[in-house]
Amino acid sequence: MSRVLVDANVLLDVLTDDPRWFEWSASQIEKLEGEYELCINPLIYAEVSVRYDTIEALEAALPESEFNRVELPWAAGFLAGKAYLDYRRRRGVRRSPLADFYIGAHAAISGMALLTRDAARYRTYFPTVEIIAPDGGGE
């Protein structure tokens, strides 16, 4: 593992000083940042952006010096679609958006670990991805 994709829920824990998850999420980012390249993609960037009024504020919250921007591979789109289809066939509820499957597929296709609190879904649909999550899977 040389790169870690950081899920929006972990970033938002830190950026909003979440009373339940701040400590865990902040400690994981701190622990990983010196040893691994922390990455975000356009979907994660978009999910975090809803908390900010301007792009400048968002850029200040997610500086490129700390979070490398990585593009979404086309193959991840295909894998995300197939995983989402499998999820829906298993009678998955619509509360899990396709974007979450795209994030898992991106980690799988690119060989990145995934730092998230939503471990169960990623472990189910992307079993090859190394998941960094709190004990018990988080949320």
Side-chain angles (χ1 to χ4, degrees):
M1 166 177 74
S2 60
R3 296 189 305 164
V4 176
L5 192 60
V6 182
D7 202 357
N9 55 26
V10 172
L11 294 168
L12 288 168
D13 291 345
V14 174
L15 296 170
T16 64
D17 200 18
D18 183 272
R20 181 173 178 198
W21 291 107
F22 173 84
E23 188 176 313
W24 183 86
S25 294
S27 69
Q28 292 302 307
I29 289 172
E30 184 178 328
K31 181 173 107 176
L32 295 169
E33 71 185 341
E35 203 169 333
Y36 304 100
E37 180 183 351
L38 300 181
C39 301
I40 60 174
N41 65 28
L43 296 169
I44 294 165
Y45 186 88
E47 288 178 338
V48 173
S49 77
V50 300
R51 303 290 286 176
Y52 295 90
D53 293 329
T54 66
I55 195 167
E56 292 81 10
L58 177 60
E59 286 291 321
L62 297 175
E64 286 188 61
S65 60
E66 294 179 34
F67 300 99
N68 185 36
R69 273 78 165 145
V70 290
E71 297 299 322
L72 292 163
W74 286 97
F78 181 83
L79 181 57
K82 295 303 176 194
Y84 188 73
L85 180 62
D86 185 31
Y87 167 78
R88 294 297 298 145
R89 285 183 176 152
R90 293 181 190 199
R91 307 252 187 244
V93 295
R94 291 200 184 269
R95 82 178 172 88
S96 294
L98 180 57
D100 288 349
F101 289 89
Y102 212 145
I103 289 166
H106 185 187
I109 293 293
S110 299
M112 288 188 275
L114 179 61
L115 175 59
T116 185
R117 284 192 291 102
D118 194 12
R121 180 180 325 118
Y122 292 118
R123 285 186 176 128
T124 298
Y125 294 97
F126 305 99
T128 63
V129 174
E130 180 180 347
I131 304 296
I132 303 164
D135 292 337
E139 299 178 307

mmCIF file of all heavy atoms in Angstrom, residues 36-73:
data_model
loop_
_atom_site.group_PDB
_atom_site.id
_atom_site.type_symbol
_atom_site.label_atom_id
_atom_site.label_comp_id
_atom_site.label_asym_id
_atom_site.label_seq_id
_atom_site.Cartn_x
_atom_site.Cartn_y
_atom_site.Cartn_z
ATOM 1 N N TYR A 36 2.235 7.312 3.711
ATOM 2 C CA TYR A 36 1.523 7.009 2.474
ATOM 3 C C TYR A 36 1.055 8.284 1.792
ATOM 4 O O TYR A 36 0.901 9.319 2.434
ATOM 5 C CB TYR A 36 0.310 6.113 2.766
ATOM 6 C CG TYR A 36 0.688 4.848 3.469
ATOM 7 C CD1 TYR A 36 0.524 4.730 4.842
ATOM 8 C CD2 TYR A 36 1.238 3.779 2.775
ATOM 9 C CE1 TYR A 36 0.891 3.577 5.506
ATOM 10 C CE2 TYR A 36 1.605 2.619 3.432
ATOM 11 C CZ TYR A 36 1.432 2.519 4.804
ATOM 12 O OH TYR A 36 1.806 1.370 5.440
ATOM 13 N N GLU A 37 0.793 8.182 0.526
ATOM 14 C CA GLU A 37 0.218 9.295 -0.229
ATOM 15 C C GLU A 37 -1.297 9.268 -0.021
ATOM 16 O O GLU A 37 -1.956 8.300 -0.391
ATOM 17 C CB GLU A 37 0.559 9.126 -1.717
ATOM 18 C CG GLU A 37 0.011 10.202 -2.591
ATOM 19 C CD GLU A 37 0.314 9.944 -4.067
ATOM 20 O OE1 GLU A 37 1.101 9.020 -4.389
ATOM 21 O OE2 GLU A 37 -0.263 10.675 -4.882
ATOM 22 N N LEU A 38 -1.822 10.314 0.608
ATOM 23 C CA LEU A 38 -3.256 10.402 0.831
ATOM 24 C C LEU A 38 -3.907 11.016 -0.401
ATOM 25 O O LEU A 38 -3.469 12.050 -0.891
ATOM 26 C CB LEU A 38 -3.565 11.252 2.062
ATOM 27 C CG LEU A 38 -2.984 10.737 3.379
ATOM 28 C CD1 LEU A 38 -3.393 11.654 4.522
ATOM 29 C CD2 LEU A 38 -3.409 9.310 3.653
ATOM 30 N N CYS A 39 -4.952 10.362 -0.903
ATOM 31 C CA CYS A 39 -5.561 10.763 -2.174
ATOM 32 C C CYS A 39 -7.059 11.011 -2.023
ATOM 33 O O CYS A 39 -7.711 10.407 -1.169
ATOM 34 C CB CYS A 39 -5.359 9.660 -3.216
ATOM 35 S SG CYS A 39 -3.640 9.254 -3.546
ATOM 36 N N ILE A 40 -7.558 11.876 -2.881
ATOM 37 C CA ILE A 40 -8.991 12.067 -3.046
ATOM 38 C C ILE A 40 -9.272 12.081 -4.541
ATOM 39 O O ILE A 40 -8.367 12.309 -5.346
ATOM 40 C CB ILE A 40 -9.513 13.359 -2.378
ATOM 41 C CG1 ILE A 40 -8.826 14.602 -2.959
ATOM 42 C CG2 ILE A 40 -9.353 13.283 -0.863
ATOM 43 C CD1 ILE A 40 -9.399 15.921 -2.446
ATOM 44 N N ASN A 41 -10.522 11.821 -4.892
ATOM 45 C CA ASN A 41 -10.906 11.884 -6.300
ATOM 46 C C ASN A 41 -12.036 12.910 -6.446
ATOM 47 O O ASN A 41 -12.487 13.477 -5.447
ATOM 48 C CB ASN A 41 -11.284 10.493 -6.823
ATOM 49 C CG ASN A 41 -12.515 9.908 -6.162
ATOM 50 O OD1 ASN A 41 -13.402 10.616 -5.704
ATOM 51 N ND2 ASN A 41 -12.570 8.584 -6.110
ATOM 52 N N PRO A 42 -12.484 13.182 -7.659
ATOM 53 C CA PRO A 42 -13.532 14.196 -7.846
ATOM 54 C C PRO A 42 -14.837 13.903 -7.096
ATOM 55 O O PRO A 42 -15.537 14.838 -6.687
ATOM 56 C CB PRO A 42 -13.760 14.208 -9.358
ATOM 57 C CG PRO A 42 -12.466 13.758 -9.931
ATOM 58 C CD PRO A 42 -11.941 12.734 -8.958
ATOM 59 N N LEU A 43 -15.175 12.643 -6.894
ATOM 60 C CA LEU A 43 -16.396 12.313 -6.159
ATOM 61 C C LEU A 43 -16.267 12.664 -4.679
ATOM 62 O O LEU A 43 -17.197 13.218 -4.078
ATOM 63 C CB LEU A 43 -16.729 10.831 -6.327
ATOM 64 C CG LEU A 43 -17.051 10.394 -7.742
ATOM 65 C CD1 LEU A 43 -17.101 8.881 -7.836
ATOM 66 C CD2 LEU A 43 -18.349 11.007 -8.210
ATOM 67 N N ILE A 44 -15.144 12.338 -4.106
ATOM 68 C CA ILE A 44 -14.891 12.665 -2.698
ATOM 69 C C ILE A 44 -14.849 14.179 -2.531
ATOM 70 O O ILE A 44 -15.451 14.735 -1.603
ATOM 71 C CB ILE A 44 -13.590 11.992 -2.218
ATOM 72 C CG1 ILE A 44 -13.766 10.470 -2.228
ATOM 73 C CG2 ILE A 44 -13.177 12.503 -0.847
ATOM 74 C CD1 ILE A 44 -12.483 9.674 -2.133
ATOM 75 N N TYR A 45 -14.193 14.849 -3.445
ATOM 76 C CA TYR A 45 -14.115 16.318 -3.441
ATOM 77 C C TYR A 45 -15.524 16.908 -3.482
ATOM 78 O O TYR A 45 -15.856 17.821 -2.720
ATOM 79 C CB TYR A 45 -13.287 16.749 -4.649
ATOM 80 C CG TYR A 45 -12.962 18.212 -4.748
ATOM 81 C CD1 TYR A 45 -11.816 18.734 -4.143
ATOM 82 C CD2 TYR A 45 -13.756 19.067 -5.489
ATOM 83 C CE1 TYR A 45 -11.485 20.075 -4.270
ATOM 84 C CE2 TYR A 45 -13.431 20.414 -5.616
ATOM 85 C CZ TYR A 45 -12.299 20.908 -5.005
ATOM 86 O OH TYR A 45 -11.972 22.238 -5.135
ATOM 87 N N ALA A 46 -16.379 16.363 -4.332
ATOM 88 C CA ALA A 46 -17.756 16.850 -4.453
ATOM 89 C C ALA A 46 -18.542 16.598 -3.169
ATOM 90 O O ALA A 46 -19.309 17.462 -2.723
ATOM 91 C CB ALA A 46 -18.446 16.182 -5.638
ATOM 92 N N GLU A 47 -18.372 15.428 -2.570
ATOM 93 C CA GLU A 47 -19.104 15.122 -1.342
ATOM 94 C C GLU A 47 -18.710 16.066 -0.208
ATOM 95 O O GLU A 47 -19.560 16.494 0.574
ATOM 96 C CB GLU A 47 -18.865 13.665 -0.932
ATOM 97 C CG GLU A 47 -19.566 12.670 -1.843
ATOM 98 C CD GLU A 47 -19.302 11.219 -1.485
ATOM 99 O OE1 GLU A 47 -18.283 10.915 -0.824
ATOM 100 O OE2 GLU A 47 -20.120 10.376 -1.873
ATOM 101 N N VAL A 48 -17.434 16.408 -0.116
ATOM 102 C CA VAL A 48 -16.980 17.329 0.925
ATOM 103 C C VAL A 48 -17.413 18.764 0.599
ATOM 104 O O VAL A 48 -17.697 19.552 1.498
ATOM 105 C CB VAL A 48 -15.443 17.236 1.096
ATOM 106 C CG1 VAL A 48 -14.921 18.303 2.056
ATOM 107 C CG2 VAL A 48 -15.047 15.845 1.595
ATOM 108 N N SER A 49 -17.520 19.095 -0.663
ATOM 109 C CA SER A 49 -17.816 20.475 -1.081
ATOM 110 C C SER A 49 -19.136 21.010 -0.560
ATOM 111 O O SER A 49 -19.298 22.227 -0.420
ATOM 112 C CB SER A 49 -17.782 20.601 -2.609
ATOM 113 O OG SER A 49 -18.963 20.063 -3.183
ATOM 114 N N VAL A 50 -20.087 20.135 -0.262
ATOM 115 C CA VAL A 50 -21.396 20.613 0.185
ATOM 116 C C VAL A 50 -21.311 21.377 1.503
ATOM 117 O O VAL A 50 -22.230 22.131 1.834
ATOM 118 C CB VAL A 50 -22.434 19.468 0.284
ATOM 119 C CG1 VAL A 50 -22.627 18.797 -1.063
ATOM 120 C CG2 VAL A 50 -22.046 18.458 1.346
ATOM 121 N N ARG A 51 -20.228 21.242 2.235
ATOM 122 C CA ARG A 51 -20.049 21.943 3.511
ATOM 123 C C ARG A 51 -19.446 23.341 3.340
ATOM 124 O O ARG A 51 -19.291 24.053 4.324
ATOM 125 C CB ARG A 51 -19.142 21.129 4.433
ATOM 126 C CG ARG A 51 -19.620 19.726 4.700
ATOM 127 C CD ARG A 51 -20.821 19.679 5.553
ATOM 128 N NE ARG A 51 -20.448 19.987 6.924
ATOM 129 C CZ ARG A 51 -21.313 20.097 7.908
ATOM 130 N NH1 ARG A 51 -22.587 19.936 7.671
ATOM 131 N NH2 ARG A 51 -20.935 20.378 9.112
ATOM 132 N N TYR A 52 -19.115 23.729 2.110
ATOM 133 C CA TYR A 52 -18.413 24.981 1.875
ATOM 134 C C TYR A 52 -19.164 25.866 0.893
ATOM 135 O O TYR A 52 -19.780 25.373 -0.048
ATOM 136 C CB TYR A 52 -16.991 24.700 1.363
ATOM 137 C CG TYR A 52 -16.183 24.004 2.430
ATOM 138 C CD1 TYR A 52 -16.152 22.613 2.518
ATOM 139 C CD2 TYR A 52 -15.498 24.732 3.389
ATOM 140 C CE1 TYR A 52 -15.463 21.971 3.535
ATOM 141 C CE2 TYR A 52 -14.800 24.105 4.408
ATOM 142 C CZ TYR A 52 -14.785 22.727 4.474
ATOM 143 O OH TYR A 52 -14.107 22.106 5.482
ATOM 144 N N ASP A 53 -19.064 27.174 1.106
ATOM 145 C CA ASP A 53 -19.752 28.132 0.245
ATOM 146 C C ASP A 53 -18.952 28.506 -0.991
ATOM 147 O O ASP A 53 -19.519 28.912 -1.999
ATOM 148 C CB ASP A 53 -20.097 29.404 1.025
ATOM 149 C CG ASP A 53 -21.143 29.146 2.096
ATOM 150 O OD1 ASP A 53 -22.001 28.257 1.904
ATOM 151 O OD2 ASP A 53 -21.088 29.831 3.136
ATOM 152 N N THR A 54 -17.624 28.399 -0.895
ATOM 153 C CA THR A 54 -16.778 28.783 -2.036
ATOM 154 C C THR A 54 -15.746 27.700 -2.311
ATOM 155 O O THR A 54 -15.367 26.941 -1.408
ATOM 156 C CB THR A 54 -16.030 30.107 -1.764
ATOM 157 O OG1 THR A 54 -15.089 29.898 -0.695
ATOM 158 C CG2 THR A 54 -17.000 31.242 -1.415
ATOM 159 N N ILE A 55 -15.291 27.680 -3.541
ATOM 160 C CA ILE A 55 -14.236 26.722 -3.897
ATOM 161 C C ILE A 55 -12.934 27.054 -3.173
ATOM 162 O O ILE A 55 -12.168 26.161 -2.820
ATOM 163 C CB ILE A 55 -14.049 26.642 -5.430
ATOM 164 C CG1 ILE A 55 -13.231 25.393 -5.789
ATOM 165 C CG2 ILE A 55 -13.451 27.922 -5.972
ATOM 166 C CD1 ILE A 55 -13.240 25.044 -7.250
ATOM 167 N N GLU A 56 -12.709 28.324 -2.904
ATOM 168 C CA GLU A 56 -11.494 28.716 -2.182
ATOM 169 C C GLU A 56 -11.492 28.133 -0.770
ATOM 170 O O GLU A 56 -10.452 27.668 -0.286
ATOM 171 C CB GLU A 56 -11.379 30.255 -2.135
ATOM 172 C CG GLU A 56 -11.121 30.900 -3.481
ATOM 173 C CD GLU A 56 -12.386 31.080 -4.340
ATOM 174 O OE1 GLU A 56 -13.522 30.887 -3.829
ATOM 175 O OE2 GLU A 56 -12.219 31.401 -5.533
ATOM 176 N N ALA A 57 -12.644 28.148 -0.121
ATOM 177 C CA ALA A 57 -12.739 27.571 1.226
ATOM 178 C C ALA A 57 -12.524 26.061 1.177
ATOM 179 O O ALA A 57 -11.855 25.484 2.047
ATOM 180 C CB ALA A 57 -14.086 27.908 1.853
ATOM 181 N N LEU A 58 -13.075 25.425 0.159
ATOM 182 C CA LEU A 58 -12.884 23.984 -0.005
ATOM 183 C C LEU A 58 -11.420 23.662 -0.269
ATOM 184 O O LEU A 58 -10.862 22.722 0.323
ATOM 185 C CB LEU A 58 -13.763 23.452 -1.138
ATOM 186 C CG LEU A 58 -13.624 21.970 -1.471
ATOM 187 C CD1 LEU A 58 -13.971 21.093 -0.271
ATOM 188 C CD2 LEU A 58 -14.494 21.626 -2.660
ATOM 189 N N GLU A 59 -10.795 24.430 -1.131
ATOM 190 C CA GLU A 59 -9.368 24.218 -1.432
ATOM 191 C C GLU A 59 -8.507 24.394 -0.182
ATOM 192 O O GLU A 59 -7.539 23.659 0.018
ATOM 193 C CB GLU A 59 -8.909 25.164 -2.540
ATOM 194 C CG GLU A 59 -9.407 24.782 -3.920
ATOM 195 C CD GLU A 59 -8.769 23.510 -4.447
ATOM 196 O OE1 GLU A 59 -7.562 23.292 -4.241
ATOM 197 O OE2 GLU A 59 -9.498 22.726 -5.074
ATOM 198 N N ALA A 60 -8.865 25.348 0.665
ATOM 199 C CA ALA A 60 -8.123 25.556 1.913
ATOM 200 C C ALA A 60 -8.314 24.367 2.861
ATOM 201 O O ALA A 60 -7.388 23.988 3.587
ATOM 202 C CB ALA A 60 -8.568 26.856 2.583
ATOM 203 N N ALA A 61 -9.499 23.782 2.838
ATOM 204 C CA ALA A 61 -9.781 22.635 3.705
ATOM 205 C C ALA A 61 -9.102 21.359 3.222
ATOM 206 O O ALA A 61 -8.740 20.502 4.030
ATOM 207 C CB ALA A 61 -11.295 22.416 3.790
ATOM 208 N N LEU A 62 -8.956 21.223 1.903
ATOM 209 C CA LEU A 62 -8.347 20.029 1.301
ATOM 210 C C LEU A 62 -7.145 20.424 0.445
ATOM 211 O O LEU A 62 -7.158 20.261 -0.777
ATOM 212 C CB LEU A 62 -9.372 19.303 0.421
ATOM 213 C CG LEU A 62 -10.603 18.738 1.102
ATOM 214 C CD1 LEU A 62 -11.564 18.168 0.063
ATOM 215 C CD2 LEU A 62 -10.220 17.687 2.133
ATOM 216 N N PRO A 63 -6.093 20.940 1.064
ATOM 217 C CA PRO A 63 -4.953 21.411 0.268
ATOM 218 C C PRO A 63 -4.300 20.272 -0.528
ATOM 219 O O PRO A 63 -4.164 19.156 -0.023
ATOM 220 C CB PRO A 63 -3.998 21.982 1.308
ATOM 221 C CG PRO A 63 -4.399 21.366 2.600
ATOM 222 C CD PRO A 63 -5.859 21.047 2.493
ATOM 223 N N GLU A 64 -3.937 20.595 -1.760
ATOM 224 C CA GLU A 64 -3.285 19.595 -2.616
ATOM 225 C C GLU A 64 -1.978 19.103 -2.013
ATOM 226 O O GLU A 64 -1.549 17.988 -2.313
ATOM 227 C CB GLU A 64 -3.047 20.165 -4.010
ATOM 228 C CG GLU A 64 -4.310 20.266 -4.823
ATOM 229 C CD GLU A 64 -4.055 20.637 -6.268
ATOM 230 O OE1 GLU A 64 -3.358 19.862 -6.961
ATOM 231 O OE2 GLU A 64 -4.542 21.690 -6.680
ATOM 232 N N SER A 65 -1.354 19.902 -1.178
ATOM 233 C CA SER A 65 -0.112 19.478 -0.532
ATOM 234 C C SER A 65 -0.347 18.321 0.449
ATOM 235 O O SER A 65 0.582 17.591 0.777
ATOM 236 C CB SER A 65 0.532 20.655 0.194
ATOM 237 O OG SER A 65 -0.344 21.161 1.198
ATOM 238 N N GLU A 66 -1.588 18.152 0.899
ATOM 239 C CA GLU A 66 -1.911 17.070 1.829
ATOM 240 C C GLU A 66 -2.724 15.953 1.193
ATOM 241 O O GLU A 66 -2.630 14.801 1.606
ATOM 242 C CB GLU A 66 -2.684 17.629 3.023
ATOM 243 C CG GLU A 66 -1.855 18.558 3.879
ATOM 244 C CD GLU A 66 -2.639 19.117 5.053
ATOM 245 O OE1 GLU A 66 -3.498 18.401 5.597
ATOM 246 O OE2 GLU A 66 -2.389 20.283 5.399
ATOM 247 N N PHE A 67 -3.565 16.304 0.215
ATOM 248 C CA PHE A 67 -4.452 15.325 -0.419
ATOM 249 C C PHE A 67 -4.264 15.379 -1.936
ATOM 250 O O PHE A 67 -4.749 16.302 -2.592
ATOM 251 C CB PHE A 67 -5.919 15.597 -0.043
ATOM 252 C CG PHE A 67 -6.158 15.516 1.430
ATOM 253 C CD1 PHE A 67 -6.214 16.662 2.202
ATOM 254 C CD2 PHE A 67 -6.295 14.281 2.056
ATOM 255 C CE1 PHE A 67 -6.422 16.595 3.575
ATOM 256 C CE2 PHE A 67 -6.494 14.206 3.430
ATOM 257 C CZ PHE A 67 -6.552 15.370 4.189
ATOM 258 N N ASN A 68 -3.564 14.382 -2.445
ATOM 259 C CA ASN A 68 -3.300 14.327 -3.879
ATOM 260 C C ASN A 68 -4.597 14.074 -4.641
ATOM 261 O O ASN A 68 -5.364 13.186 -4.289
ATOM 262 C CB ASN A 68 -2.286 13.216 -4.176
ATOM 263 C CG ASN A 68 -1.879 13.166 -5.619
ATOM 264 O OD1 ASN A 68 -1.754 14.188 -6.278
ATOM 265 N ND2 ASN A 68 -1.686 11.965 -6.123
ATOM 266 N N ARG A 69 -4.822 14.854 -5.666
ATOM 267 C CA ARG A 69 -6.004 14.663 -6.517
ATOM 268 C C ARG A 69 -5.690 13.591 -7.558
ATOM 269 O O ARG A 69 -4.717 13.706 -8.287
ATOM 270 C CB ARG A 69 -6.353 15.953 -7.267
ATOM 271 C CG ARG A 69 -7.245 16.894 -6.515
ATOM 272 C CD ARG A 69 -6.490 17.653 -5.479
ATOM 273 N NE ARG A 69 -7.302 18.799 -5.029
ATOM 274 C CZ ARG A 69 -7.301 19.239 -3.808
ATOM 275 N NH1 ARG A 69 -6.547 18.676 -2.907
ATOM 276 N NH2 ARG A 69 -8.040 20.270 -3.470
ATOM 277 N N VAL A 70 -6.516 12.569 -7.609
ATOM 278 C CA VAL A 70 -6.332 11.507 -8.594
ATOM 279 C C VAL A 70 -7.587 11.399 -9.445
ATOM 280 O O VAL A 70 -8.704 11.540 -8.955
ATOM 281 C CB VAL A 70 -5.977 10.152 -7.936
ATOM 282 C CG1 VAL A 70 -4.571 10.180 -7.354
ATOM 283 C CG2 VAL A 70 -6.962 9.767 -6.863
ATOM 284 N N GLU A 71 -7.381 11.169 -10.714
ATOM 285 C CA GLU A 71 -8.491 11.053 -11.662
ATOM 286 C C GLU A 71 -9.169 9.696 -11.516
ATOM 287 O O GLU A 71 -8.578 8.730 -11.054
ATOM 288 C CB GLU A 71 -7.977 11.233 -13.092
ATOM 289 C CG GLU A 71 -7.389 12.612 -13.363
ATOM 290 C CD GLU A 71 -8.388 13.738 -13.170
ATOM 291 O OE1 GLU A 71 -9.580 13.567 -13.526
ATOM 292 O OE2 GLU A 71 -7.995 14.770 -12.634
ATOM 293 N N LEU A 72 -10.408 9.648 -11.954
ATOM 294 C CA LEU A 72 -11.162 8.402 -11.931
ATOM 295 C C LEU A 72 -10.872 7.580 -13.181
ATOM 296 O O LEU A 72 -11.071 8.070 -14.291
ATOM 297 C CB LEU A 72 -12.659 8.712 -11.860
ATOM 298 C CG LEU A 72 -13.115 9.348 -10.551
ATOM 299 C CD1 LEU A 72 -14.482 10.004 -10.722
ATOM 300 C CD2 LEU A 72 -13.149 8.312 -9.453
ATOM 301 N N PRO A 73 -10.410 6.351 -13.023
ATOM 302 C CA PRO A 73 -10.165 5.501 -14.189
ATOM 303 C C PRO A 73 -11.493 5.048 -14.813
ATOM 304 O O PRO A 73 -12.464 4.773 -14.112
ATOM 305 C CB PRO A 73 -9.428 4.289 -13.615
ATOM 306 C CG PRO A 73 -9.100 4.618 -12.203
ATOM 307 C CD PRO A 73 -9.998 5.725 -11.777
#
